[in-house]
């Protein structure tokens, strides 16, 4: 049986290979605050999830800048004209 976890597997294909029209873009970020945790940024085009980057040791302003850069690149490359949702987990 094909379960939800298997369907949500991260894709490595670049977004330019998508053949369908983009109807939604979401960016997600899990912010590392302490210890050996990593900050992870990913995004979703329609229903397909892509990983973007993961790193340690950068401050929250650098992370905010990386998210803004990604949002601008996605808007430009997909010609998406409405606001991009950004979801942050900093707990």
């Amino acid at each position: 049986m094909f379960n939800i976890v298997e369907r949500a597997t991260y894709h490595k294909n670049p977004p330019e290979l998508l053949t369908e029209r983009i109807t939604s873009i979401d960016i997600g970020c899990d912010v590392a605050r302490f210890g050996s945790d990593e900050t992870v940024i990913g995004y979703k085009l329609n229903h397909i999830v892509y990983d973007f980057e993961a790193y340690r040791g950068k401050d929250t302003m650098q992370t905010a800048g990386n998210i803004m850069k990604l949002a601008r690149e996605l808007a430009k490359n997909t010609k998406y004209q409405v606001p991009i949702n950004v979801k942050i987990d900093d707990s």
Side-chain angles (χ1 to χ4, degrees), residues 9-51:
T9 302
Y10 286 89
H11 294 269
K12 298 286 186 184
N13 296 331
E16 56 270 8
L17 296 180
L18 283 176
T19 57
E20 60 189 272
R21 185 173 70 88
I22 303 300
T23 58
S24 68
I25 298 177
D26 297 283
I27 296 174
C29 180
D30 182 1
V31 180
R33 303 291 276 208
F34 306 104
S36 62
D37 277 355
E38 287 186 323
T39 293
V40 179
I41 302 172
Y43 61 97
K44 181 171 68 101
L45 303 178
N46 294 342
H47 61 281
I48 301 174
V49 177
Y50 299 87
D51 56 345

Side-chain angles (χ1 to χ4, degrees), residues 67-87:
I67 292 169
M68 286 301 302
K69 179 180 175 185
L70 174 60
R72 288 185 184 116
E73 288 176 9
L74 290 171
K76 177 183 170 190
N77 293 341
T78 62
K79 298 177 178 45
Y80 192 68
Q81 299 295 317
V82 297
I84 294 173
N85 299 309
V86 177
K87 300 164 184 170

Side-chain angles (χ1 to χ4, degrees), residues 48-68:
I48 301 174
V49 177
Y50 299 87
D51 56 345
F52 178 62
E53 66 181 340
Y55 51 82
R56 290 185 180 96
K58 294 185 182 179
D59 67 30
T60 54
M61 292 306 293
Q62 288 175 303
T63 298
N66 290 343
I67 292 169
M68 286 301 302

